Amino acid sequence: MQGKGLITIVAIVLGLICLNELLPTWYASKIEKQATAIAGDNPEKYQKEIAKLSKDTLNLGFTKLYYSKAKEKEMKLGLDLKGGINVLLEINQRDLVNDLTNYSTNPILIEALNKTDEVQKNSTKSYIDNFFDQFDAINKAKGTNLKLADPEIFGNTTLTEVKYNTPDEQVKSIVKRKIDASVGTAFEVIRTRIDKLGAIQPNVQRVPGTARISVEMPGMKDIDKVKKMLQTSAKLQFWEVQQVPEIAPYFQTLTSIVAAKGDSMGVAKTTNFINLLHIDKLRTNGVANVKLSDTAAVNKILNSKVAQSLRPANIKYTQFMWGYKPEATDSESLVLYAIRGNINQKAPVDGAVETASIGYDELSRVVVDMQMDSKGAKEWKTLTEKNVGKPVAVTLDNRVYTAPNVVNAIPNGRTQISGNFSQEEAKELVDVLGAGKLPAGAKVVQATVVGPSLGQESIDAGLMSFIIAFGIIIVYIIFYYGGAGIYAVIAMIINLFYIFGIMDSGDFTLTLPGIAGIVLTMAVAVDTNVIIYERTKEELFAGKSILEAYKDGFKHALNAIIDGHTTTFLTAVVLFFFGTGPIKGFALTLMIGIAMTLFTSVLLSRVMIFSRLNKGKGLSVWTPATKNLFRNTWIDFIGKRKYAYIISAVLTVVCIISIATHGFKYGIDFTGGRNYVVRFDKDVKAEAVEEKLVTLFKTEDGKNSSVEVKTFGNDKQLKISTDYLIEDESLKADQIIEQKLYEGLKTNLPTGISLKDFKSADKEHAGIVSSEKVGPSVADDIKIHGIYAVVAALAMIFIYILVRFRKWQFSLGAVAALFHDAVIILGAYSLLHKYMPFNMEINQDFIAAILTVLGYSINDTVIIFDRIREYLREKKSLTLAGLFDDSISSTLGRTFNTSFTTILVILAIFIFGGDNLRGFMFAMLIGIGFGTYSSIFVASAIAYDFLKTGKEEEVHGKSTTNKEVLASK
């Protein structure tokens, strides 16, 4: 066999590389198991044992293994397998534009920014591109002929590259480059902060083409601390403070207005606003001292349109900000401050910190000492000179840390921040300031939190499904193909070894969907062997020797294998580029698996088989029970196609009607919202919990937010979904919702459980085991990308089939079959989502399932089309109908074996793979079943109907002949 030596060398080298990459994972796991065996569940003892065992070294001759280095190089496990936190941060690009325009108040600029904020909610274009579009449109509509290089826009001292005569297109290019650089700066700052958090194997990446940064931290538990650390801008600002005499008349006006129009302000008319403020209890330079329970009502009133419209001139631009935390003398209240703003809300002092450290004041209280940069120091001197004897507020992310009276002007940029800090809080602030400031504010637009116990359960479920699926495949393929099946199993084992080795060497992250992708790869590997062995059987039945049969089997199977693998690979590529998070993991493992399947099942397997055959040894390709299965099976598929058309038409119409009338249950991926999986220590009724939570999650106008509660996995676990406060992407909103969940579920939770324990449940405690948040803008992006992915996959498949088979009729049949499969799956989800005991949401996992099914279905179709193409060349005496029937019938063995083994594998994942994968696998089950059906009765039938000329008499029957020569077809 040509190339035998090269293939063997490549296999050995690749194997050694994979072994070298996987050894650290094995060694780190070995040490940790030893430590666990000694320490049990005692974390302190476990750490001591790890430290002790870490001193050991394993010398393998070609490499030495140390625990610390092995831990660094071990295979990365995703959030769903290890537990931890994943957040998607978005840098506020409006802030970046404001900074580049030097906070200009030009009305055209302000209107363009406001319009861009609205448009961005439903757009996949970048913020800055939308801004330029809106600026051009408003500029043109108002006939102002304003240039981007105008001093009131970008032609200022901030952007020295922009001159008065710089063309708009060049300004756009400069601004885009500056914004991209600012996002790059934000990325570096975020990465530095994560290092200070002590995360193990964090993954920080910029999302190309956006101002978003993806952060994954396996093993991290304190989501509030992480969000706070990542979102804090570290841009300290210093403001003048307005006091009670200036603000009190406005508060008195609002008190009477609330009594008349409270409903339109989001509060009851009976609310006594002035009584909520407790001005008489003030001990600081604030304007109110509000009970924590009343802060939401005060916010609603102050932020209402009615209140905004009633502001007198002296407080037109005033910003009301809360204190960082309750004062030491009153732990149940927050101080409200009135910050003197201006038209562009730019702080008088807005400088970065050069150094920050923990210190103590004269009363031994914890403070943060800091030194400003040169610019900030000059501005600070001016502000303190101007406000001697008056208060100045120190704010960070719109929270007032302190607001002392200025005693003397401060010329050197040194200052001190006090705020009733604990040692830990002061350290967090010092870490944030020390990592540098973000160029603009950041918000968490998507977040996923998985508890460690759920991560371990996912590992167990993934391994169980993997072992069972692999066991099924081994038993079946050896039962069906005998000795040849053993070589197929060997090739699959090597394939798996290569996949894990490549994943580890590429520093890729293994996720639960990734395990599903690997299991599906095994099904693809089976399919490859089935094509080869079925073809070899045909050659043996034709009377060829065992050696010649295998040679021709490999030779004639190659085209079908390449076509099938290419279409599946293209689908995986689309998934990788359009998917996010775990879906990328699924697509990545599928791509690696397909590539390795081609190498192991086609090339390496061939080397092993022919090494045996060339020694004169035989190799069976069947067993007595399977030798003649499907051998003489012939069915008049084309003659029965009209019945299939009727069945497909009825199913399609039913599905479309259901989709139009019942719709779908969309996941938060597509709608925005929050999901919580909550575990209890006893059975709970989902309906009763939902009824209770609905009353808690009310919007500002008193209406109920969307709340859905479903049993998840078992009667002791619920999945709670809500869109309450989804427009509010702040950490405070997350905390409010968690507090409400805690209150609503308290009667079902163990007695005495605290909010802190509830928010981070482990295997010994009830509470939240995982949570997910998707902001509206991200949901729109996911939805649009999902549509793009499906359209792109269909287009790529159509073009590929057209190029390979050179007849548009084949492409039409293939795409029609794919459309048929997609509608059936969508219809099933529309019809059944209310009744099934597992998640049947339309989300990005579902899109991944649809695309995987399309890849599988086209793979099946290509096998049949490949045989039709072959017969068009070789059996020109057949009628077109007979030729199609012969082609489909001759591939029935392959079709059955592939579909049957794939369904068995998917069933194993569906049953044993855990709750998170059931909806995904259900779509796969439906898709594989109907994909097999549509390859025969839709794709082939439509290709036949459009290929026939109309002159031909439709004659059916095995190997029927026709005088018409079909070469022209």
Side-chain angles (χ1 to χ4, degrees):
M1 173 191 164
Q2 289 183 341
K4 175 183 174 182
L6 178 61
I7 293 167
T8 304
I9 291 170
V10 170
I12 293 171
V13 171
L14 189 57
L16 290 173
I17 291 171
C18 291
L19 179 66
N20 186 61
E21 293 296 333
L22 290 171
L23 277 173
T25 301
W26 165 79
Y27 186 70
S29 176
K30 173 177 174 287
I31 294 294
E32 286 165 3
K33 283 179 180 177
Q34 288 177 354
T36 303
I38 298 169
D41 292 330
N42 187 325
E44 292 182 5
K45 191 174 180 182
Y46 173 82
Q47 290 300 330
K48 288 180 180 177
E49 289 301 324
I50 284 289
K52 183 179 171 185
L53 292 168
S54 296
K55 297 174 183 176
D56 295 339
T57 303
L58 181 62
N59 191 342
L60 296 175
F62 61 92
T63 185
K64 288 183 180 180
L65 294 173
Y66 305 85
Y67 174 75
S68 56
K69 288 192 176 181
K71 192 66 181 171
E72 290 175 7
K73 294 183 67 179
E74 74 173 346
M75 180 175 285
K76 286 184 178 178
L77 295 181
L79 213 64
D80 46 9
L81 295 178
K82 195 171 185 178
I85 298 168
N86 179 287
V87 296
L88 186 63
L89 284 169
E90 185 169 79
I91 306 302
N92 189 325
Q93 292 183 82
R94 177 168 182 152
D95 286 355
L96 295 178
V97 173
N98 275 330
D99 190 54
L100 292 175
T101 61
N102 203 19
Y103 291 85
S104 170
T105 56
N106 182 280
I108 301 296
L109 174 70
I110 300 299
E111 187 176 347
L113 286 169
N114 291 337
K115 188 68 177 172
T116 304
D117 289 343
E118 293 175 23
V119 170
Q120 193 65 24
K121 293 177 182 178
N122 300 301
S123 172
T124 56
K125 292 176 68 175
S126 69
Y127 185 94
I128 194 62
D129 282 333
N130 278 325
F131 166 74
F132 287 138
D133 290 344
Q134 296 305 319
F135 181 85
D136 291 342
I138 294 168
N139 200 14
K140 184 178 179 181
K142 298 198 171 184
T144 48
N145 296 319
L146 198 62
K147 302 294 183 185
L148 290 174
D150 190 282
E152 290 188 31
I153 311 299
F154 293 109
N156 56 70
T157 53
T158 303
L159 277 175
T160 55
E161 296 171 66
V162 177
K163 310 301 179 186
Y164 74 93
N165 58 349
T166 305
D168 277 3
E169 289 305 313
Q170 191 175 337
V171 175
K172 289 178 181 179
S173 177
I174 293 169
V175 170
K176 284 182 180 180
R177 191 169 66 250
K178 287 287 185 182
I179 285 182
D180 187 65
S182 294
V183 176
T185 300
F187 172 76
E188 294 300 330
V189 170
I190 293 295
R191 194 160 59 178
T192 303
R193 290 182 185 180
I194 289 168
D195 289 341
K196 291 179 181 292
L197 280 169
I200 298 172
Q201 291 186 324
N203 184 17
V204 188
Q205 294 180 331
R206 285 186 62 179
V207 181
T210 71
R212 292 171 179 166
I213 298 168
S214 173
V215 179
E216 185 168 292
M217 288 166 283
M220 294 295 289
K221 298 178 183 179
D222 193 342
I223 180 64
D224 288 352
K225 180 178 179 180
V226 170
K227 285 183 179 178
K228 182 180 174 184
M229 189 76 156
L230 296 181
Q231 286 182 269
T232 301
S233 68
K235 187 187 283 187
L236 275 181
Q237 296 179 320
F238 299 78
W239 303 83
E240 294 179 347
V241 178
Q242 294 174 275
Q243 295 183 276
V244 172
E246 284 184 86
I247 308 297
Y250 175 60
F251 284 168
Q252 290 291 349
T253 302
L254 287 184
T255 302
S256 58
I257 291 298
V258 169
K261 299 182 178 181
D263 293 344
S264 63
M265 302 171 83
V267 297
K269 291 181 181 179
T270 54
T271 303
N272 190 320
F273 179 60
I274 203 72
N275 285 352
L276 297 180
L277 304 179
H278 300 289
I279 297 174
D280 57 314
K281 294 184 178 180
L282 269 175
R283 299 290 183 271
T284 66
N285 286 317
V287 292
N289 195 59
V290 183
K291 292 288 184 186
L292 290 171
S293 57
D294 293 329
T295 54
V298 172
N299 278 336
K300 288 178 182 178
I301 294 167
L302 291 175
N303 295 330
S304 67
K305 291 182 179 179
V306 176
Q308 297 281 345
S309 65
L310 291 172
R311 286 193 175 197
N314 69 315
I315 62 168
K316 184 177 180 181
Y317 301 112
T318 296
Q319 300 180 70
F320 289 102
M321 296 184 190
W322 295 102
Y324 160 68
K325 63 184 290 188
E327 298 291 315
T329 54
D330 186 358
S331 61
E332 298 298 320
S333 301
L334 268 185
V335 175
L336 180 69
Y337 294 87
I339 303 300
R340 191 184 303 281
N342 47 59
I343 190 170
N344 56 21
Q345 297 297 4
K346 185 179 181 182
V349 181
D350 190 350
V353 177
E354 285 191 339
T355 60
S357 60
I358 297 174
Y360 301 90
D361 64 11
E362 62 278 2
L363 298 176
S364 298
R365 293 174 301 191
V366 178
V367 295
V368 174
D369 292 317
M370 48 160 268
Q371 173 66 51
M372 294 181 186
D373 61 16
S374 58
K375 179 176 177 290
K378 290 176 184 176
E379 293 172 342
W380 183 225
K381 179 183 177 184
T382 301
L383 183 64
T384 52
E385 282 177 342
K386 182 181 174 183
N387 288 278
V388 171
K390 298 176 184 177
V392 170
V394 182
T395 70
L396 184 67
D397 295 332
N398 295 324
R399 290 277 175 172
V400 178
Y401 276 69
T402 184
N405 287 323
V406 177
V407 179
N408 297 302
I410 302 174
N412 55 12
R414 295 191 63 82
T415 191
Q416 190 178 81
I417 308 171
S418 59
N420 188 23
F421 295 123
S422 67
Q423 190 80 19
E424 185 180 353
E425 288 168 338
K427 182 181 182 304
E428 287 177 13
L429 181 57
V430 167
D431 284 345
V432 168
L433 295 175
K437 69 173 183 177
L438 290 175
K443 59 184 179 181
V444 173
V445 292
Q446 186 177 4
T448 304
V449 183
V450 179
S453 60
L454 192 64
Q456 185 58 50
E457 289 167 14
S458 296
I459 291 176
D460 295 341
L463 284 174
M464 177 65 73
S465 65
F466 182 87
I467 291 167
I468 291 173
F470 195 56
I472 288 170
I473 288 175
I474 288 174
V475 170
Y476 184 81
I477 203 164
I478 293 176
F479 161 75
Y480 202 93
Y481 292 110
I486 294 173
Y487 280 87
V489 170
I490 294 170
M492 271 193 291
I493 292 171
I494 296 172
N495 188 1
L496 288 173
F497 179 68
Y498 286 163
I499 290 171
F500 283 111
I502 291 169
M503 290 282 291
D504 202 1
S505 64
D507 209 24
F508 302 128
T509 302
L510 182 65
T511 63
L512 190 58
I515 291 177
I518 292 172
V519 174
L520 195 62
T521 294
M522 291 194 294
V524 173
V526 169
D527 182 39
T528 304
N529 288 290
V530 165
I531 295 170
I532 294 168
Y533 296 157
E534 286 296 317
R535 198 62 197 243
T536 302
K537 284 168 71 174
E538 290 180 25
E539 303 300 333
L540 283 169
F541 289 137
K544 294 183 180 178
S545 68
I546 187 74
L547 185 60
E548 289 301 314
Y550 269 105
K551 282 182 180 177
D552 288 345
F554 273 97
K555 177 183 175 183
H556 294 308
L558 190 59
N559 276 343
I561 291 170
I562 290 173
D563 286 338
H565 281 54
T566 302
T567 49
T568 306
F569 190 85
L570 289 174
T571 305
V573 169
V574 170
L575 264 179
F576 184 79
F577 282 103
F578 287 100
T580 57
I583 300 306
K584 280 186 179 289
F586 173 79
L588 183 67
T589 52
L590 196 55
M591 284 191 287
I592 295 171
I594 290 168
M596 288 300 98
T597 296
L598 278 172
F599 178 73
T600 56
S601 296
V602 177
L603 299 178
L604 190 58
S605 176
R606 181 179 177 132
V607 168
M608 291 188 293
I609 288 173
F610 281 97
S611 292
R612 177 184 177 86
L613 294 176
N614 287 332
K615 293 175 183 176
K617 297 178 181 179
L619 185 63
S620 64
V621 76
W622 55 58
T623 62
T626 61
K627 179 178 179 180
N628 293 310
L629 280 178
F630 301 107
R631 181 180 176 186
N632 297 309
T633 303
W634 189 92
I635 300 172
D636 182 13
F637 291 106
I638 295 301
K640 294 177 174 59
R641 74 188 186 285
K642 292 176 183 176
Y643 299 109
Y645 283 161
I646 293 170
I647 293 170
S648 290
V650 170
L651 286 174
T652 301
V653 169
V654 169
C655 289
I656 290 173
I657 290 172
S658 177
I659 291 167
T661 55
H662 297 148
F664 302 105
K665 171 66 179 82
Y666 289 104
I668 64 167
D669 290 4
F670 283 6
T671 61
R674 292 174 173 86
N675 277 340
Y676 298 90
V677 175
V678 184
R679 185 171 293 168
F680 302 85
D681 62 345
K682 59 186 177 182
D683 291 353
V684 287
K685 297 288 185 184
E687 299 80 6
V689 170
E690 183 173 318
E691 190 176 330
K692 191 181 294 183
L693 290 178
V694 163
T695 60
L696 288 173
F697 291 108
K698 288 184 181 290
T699 56
E700 290 186 5
D701 55 6
K703 293 181 181 178
N704 292 332
S705 296
S706 169
V707 179
E708 183 182 75
V709 180
K710 278 193 170 185
T711 300
F712 189 71
N714 59 67
D715 290 335
K716 292 182 180 179
Q717 201 162 263
L718 297 177
K719 185 175 184 179
I720 301 168
S721 304
T722 180
D723 62 1
Y724 180 67
L725 294 184
I726 191 53
E727 297 289 344
D728 187 346
E729 292 165 334
S730 67
L731 174 59
K732 184 68 177 174
D734 295 337
Q735 293 170 335
I736 289 170
I737 292 171
E738 288 162 352
Q739 176 71 41
K740 286 182 178 289
L741 272 179
Y742 175 64
E743 292 169 4
L745 299 173
K746 205 167 186 178
T747 55
N748 300 104
L749 295 168
T751 305
I753 187 172
S754 67
L755 175 61
K756 183 179 180 182
D757 288 337
F758 171 73
K759 287 168 64 174
S760 56
D762 57 33
K763 61 184 177 182
E764 296 178 358
H765 296 98
I768 298 172
V769 292
S770 74
S771 66
E772 183 180 13
K773 177 179 85 170
V774 179
S777 60
V778 177
D780 283 334
D781 289 352
I782 292 172
K783 185 162 47 178
I784 292 167
H785 283 153
I787 294 169
Y788 285 169
V790 174
V791 172
L794 288 173
M796 288 169 68
I797 287 168
F798 182 91
I799 293 168
Y800 183 80
I801 297 295
L802 185 63
V803 170
R804 287 293 290 159
F805 293 93
R806 298 182 183 179
K807 291 182 185 294
W808 62 267
Q809 294 92 336
F810 284 119
S811 290
L812 179 65
V815 172
L818 298 183
F819 176 78
H820 168 275
D821 298 340
V823 170
I824 296 294
I825 299 172
L826 287 166
Y829 268 61
S830 174
L831 285 163
L832 302 174
H833 72 82
K834 293 180 181 177
Y835 310 108
M836 287 296 183
F838 50 85
N839 177 36
M840 290 189 71
E841 294 177 345
I842 303 295
N843 52 25
Q844 58 178 335
D845 289 357
F846 176 82
I847 294 295
I850 284 274
L851 288 176
T852 307
V853 165
L854 297 187
Y856 175 87
S857 180
I858 197 63
N859 195 351
D860 208 20
T861 301
V862 161
I863 299 300
I864 296 172
F865 282 0
D866 189 70
R867 186 58 61 91
I868 292 170
R869 178 176 57 182
E870 182 182 335
Y871 281 8
L872 279 170
R873 291 193 303 265
E874 297 176 0
K875 298 189 177 184
K876 297 179 180 179
S877 61
L878 285 177
T879 65
L880 189 62
L883 187 147
F884 267 69
D885 284 336
D886 276 12
S887 299
I888 299 168
S889 296
S890 67
T891 56
L892 276 179
R894 177 265 168 198
T895 300
F896 173 81
N897 281 329
T898 301
S899 299
F900 183 65
T901 51
T902 304
I903 286 173
L904 286 178
V905 165
I906 292 171
L907 268 174
I909 306 174
F910 178 79
I911 296 169
F912 302 103
D915 300 316
N916 290 325
L917 286 176
R918 286 209 171 92
F920 181 90
M921 287 299 131
F922 185 72
M924 294 280 288
L925 280 173
I926 299 171
I928 298 304
F930 277 97
T932 304
Y933 161 85
S934 68
S935 295
I936 296 170
F937 289 107
V938 178
S940 300
I942 287 176
Y944 167 79
D945 279 324
F946 280 90
L947 273 168
K948 67 179 183 179
T949 61
K951 302 174 186 177
E952 174 189 335
E953 180 185 355
E954 194 171 289
V955 182
H956 303 282
K958 188 173 182 181
S959 297
T960 52
T961 60
N962 183 18
K963 294 177 182 178
E964 181 180 355
V965 177
L966 298 176
S968 61
K969 293 188 184 294

mmCIF file of all heavy atoms in Angstrom, residues 737-751:
data_model
loop_
_atom_site.group_PDB
_atom_site.id
_atom_site.type_symbol
_atom_site.label_atom_id
_atom_site.label_comp_id
_atom_site.label_asym_id
_atom_site.label_seq_id
_atom_site.Cartn_x
_atom_site.Cartn_y
_atom_site.Cartn_z
ATOM 1 N N ILE A 737 -32.989 40.405 42.789
ATOM 2 C CA ILE A 737 -33.712 39.216 42.342
ATOM 3 C C ILE A 737 -33.385 38.017 43.229
ATOM 4 O O ILE A 737 -34.268 37.245 43.608
ATOM 5 C CB ILE A 737 -33.377 38.916 40.868
ATOM 6 C CG1 ILE A 737 -33.960 40.011 39.984
ATOM 7 C CG2 ILE A 737 -33.930 37.563 40.433
ATOM 8 C CD1 ILE A 737 -33.538 39.959 38.549
ATOM 9 N N GLU A 738 -32.117 37.858 43.588
ATOM 10 C CA GLU A 738 -31.734 36.749 44.467
ATOM 11 C C GLU A 738 -32.400 36.883 45.838
ATOM 12 O O GLU A 738 -32.816 35.882 46.443
ATOM 13 C CB GLU A 738 -30.211 36.692 44.593
ATOM 14 C CG GLU A 738 -29.533 36.199 43.330
ATOM 15 C CD GLU A 738 -28.049 36.532 43.258
ATOM 16 O OE1 GLU A 738 -27.559 37.284 44.128
ATOM 17 O OE2 GLU A 738 -27.382 36.056 42.335
ATOM 18 N N GLN A 739 -32.520 38.122 46.320
ATOM 19 C CA GLN A 739 -33.198 38.361 47.598
ATOM 20 C C GLN A 739 -34.676 37.971 47.503
ATOM 21 O O GLN A 739 -35.226 37.320 48.398
ATOM 22 C CB GLN A 739 -33.073 39.846 47.981
ATOM 23 C CG GLN A 739 -33.812 40.248 49.244
ATOM 24 C CD GLN A 739 -33.162 39.699 50.501
ATOM 25 O OE1 GLN A 739 -31.941 39.699 50.629
ATOM 26 N NE2 GLN A 739 -33.980 39.219 51.441
ATOM 27 N N LYS A 740 -35.322 38.345 46.403
ATOM 28 C CA LYS A 740 -36.739 38.011 46.207
ATOM 29 C C LYS A 740 -36.929 36.495 46.072
ATOM 30 O O LYS A 740 -37.902 35.934 46.585
ATOM 31 C CB LYS A 740 -37.291 38.736 44.984
ATOM 32 C CG LYS A 740 -37.518 40.234 45.192
ATOM 33 C CD LYS A 740 -38.108 40.889 43.941
ATOM 34 C CE LYS A 740 -38.371 42.375 44.171
ATOM 35 N NZ LYS A 740 -39.508 42.596 45.092
ATOM 36 N N LEU A 741 -36.024 35.846 45.349
ATOM 37 C CA LEU A 741 -36.089 34.387 45.239
ATOM 38 C C LEU A 741 -35.990 33.742 46.622
ATOM 39 O O LEU A 741 -36.743 32.820 46.960
ATOM 40 C CB LEU A 741 -34.944 33.870 44.361
ATOM 41 C CG LEU A 741 -35.149 33.790 42.853
ATOM 42 C CD1 LEU A 741 -33.876 33.269 42.200
ATOM 43 C CD2 LEU A 741 -36.324 32.898 42.503
ATOM 44 N N TYR A 742 -35.061 34.233 47.401
ATOM 45 C CA TYR A 742 -34.842 33.707 48.754
ATOM 46 C C TYR A 742 -36.105 33.858 49.602
ATOM 47 O O TYR A 742 -36.537 32.925 50.284
ATOM 48 C CB TYR A 742 -33.661 34.444 49.383
ATOM 49 C CG TYR A 742 -33.386 34.108 50.827
ATOM 50 C CD1 TYR A 742 -32.993 32.828 51.199
ATOM 51 C CD2 TYR A 742 -33.515 35.085 51.817
ATOM 52 C CE1 TYR A 742 -32.725 32.529 52.534
ATOM 53 C CE2 TYR A 742 -33.244 34.799 53.140
ATOM 54 C CZ TYR A 742 -32.862 33.519 53.495
ATOM 55 O OH TYR A 742 -32.596 33.220 54.810
ATOM 56 N N GLU A 743 -36.705 35.052 49.512
ATOM 57 C CA GLU A 743 -37.931 35.309 50.287
ATOM 58 C C GLU A 743 -39.069 34.412 49.804
ATOM 59 O O GLU A 743 -39.821 33.851 50.612
ATOM 60 C CB GLU A 743 -38.333 36.784 50.148
ATOM 61 C CG GLU A 743 -37.380 37.745 50.822
ATOM 62 C CD GLU A 743 -37.665 39.198 50.450
ATOM 63 O OE1 GLU A 743 -38.659 39.437 49.735
ATOM 64 O OE2 GLU A 743 -36.891 40.076 50.867
ATOM 65 N N GLY A 744 -39.203 34.271 48.475
ATOM 66 C CA GLY A 744 -40.303 33.495 47.922
ATOM 67 C C GLY A 744 -40.175 31.999 48.160
ATOM 68 O O GLY A 744 -41.180 31.282 48.198
ATOM 69 N N LEU A 745 -38.932 31.517 48.296
ATOM 70 C CA LEU A 745 -38.708 30.075 48.444
ATOM 71 C C LEU A 745 -38.413 29.660 49.885
ATOM 72 O O LEU A 745 -38.231 28.476 50.164
ATOM 73 C CB LEU A 745 -37.524 29.646 47.559
ATOM 74 C CG LEU A 745 -37.668 29.870 46.055
ATOM 75 C CD1 LEU A 745 -36.362 29.548 45.346
ATOM 76 C CD2 LEU A 745 -38.796 29.015 45.488
ATOM 77 N N LYS A 746 -38.384 30.633 50.785
ATOM 78 C CA LYS A 746 -37.918 30.378 52.153
ATOM 79 C C LYS A 746 -38.690 29.263 52.836
ATOM 80 O O LYS A 746 -38.108 28.447 53.581
ATOM 81 C CB LYS A 746 -38.017 31.668 52.967
ATOM 82 C CG LYS A 746 -37.052 31.701 54.141
ATOM 83 C CD LYS A 746 -36.954 33.106 54.714
ATOM 84 C CE LYS A 746 -35.871 33.164 55.788
ATOM 85 N NZ LYS A 746 -35.717 34.537 56.330
ATOM 86 N N THR A 747 -40.006 29.193 52.600
ATOM 87 C CA THR A 747 -40.811 28.166 53.277
ATOM 88 C C THR A 747 -40.478 26.756 52.789
ATOM 89 O O THR A 747 -40.775 25.772 53.473
ATOM 90 C CB THR A 747 -42.311 28.431 53.054
ATOM 91 O OG1 THR A 747 -42.562 28.523 51.645
ATOM 92 C CG2 THR A 747 -42.742 29.724 53.737
ATOM 93 N N ASN A 748 -39.846 26.659 51.597
ATOM 94 C CA ASN A 748 -39.473 25.352 51.060
ATOM 95 C C ASN A 748 -38.034 24.977 51.367
ATOM 96 O O ASN A 748 -37.599 23.863 51.068
ATOM 97 C CB ASN A 748 -39.666 25.333 49.536
ATOM 98 C CG ASN A 748 -41.099 25.599 49.128
ATOM 99 O OD1 ASN A 748 -41.420 26.693 48.681
ATOM 100 N ND2 ASN A 748 -41.973 24.618 49.295
ATOM 101 N N LEU A 749 -37.284 25.929 51.929
ATOM 102 C CA LEU A 749 -35.871 25.704 52.206
ATOM 103 C C LEU A 749 -35.678 25.203 53.634
ATOM 104 O O LEU A 749 -36.547 25.401 54.496
ATOM 105 C CB LEU A 749 -35.090 27.003 52.016
ATOM 106 C CG LEU A 749 -35.052 27.567 50.587
ATOM 107 C CD1 LEU A 749 -34.497 28.991 50.592
ATOM 108 C CD2 LEU A 749 -34.218 26.675 49.675
ATOM 109 N N PRO A 750 -34.538 24.575 53.930
ATOM 110 C CA PRO A 750 -34.273 24.116 55.299
ATOM 111 C C PRO A 750 -34.305 25.276 56.283
ATOM 112 O O PRO A 750 -33.916 26.404 55.952
ATOM 113 C CB PRO A 750 -32.860 23.523 55.204
ATOM 114 C CG PRO A 750 -32.681 23.181 53.768
ATOM 115 C CD PRO A 750 -33.452 24.205 53.003
ATOM 116 N N THR A 751 -34.760 25.034 57.481
ATOM 117 C CA THR A 751 -34.848 26.074 58.512
ATOM 118 C C THR A 751 -33.470 26.650 58.809
ATOM 119 O O THR A 751 -32.494 25.925 58.960
ATOM 120 C CB THR A 751 -35.441 25.487 59.810
ATOM 121 O OG1 THR A 751 -36.689 24.878 59.506
ATOM 122 C CG2 THR A 751 -35.650 26.580 60.854
#
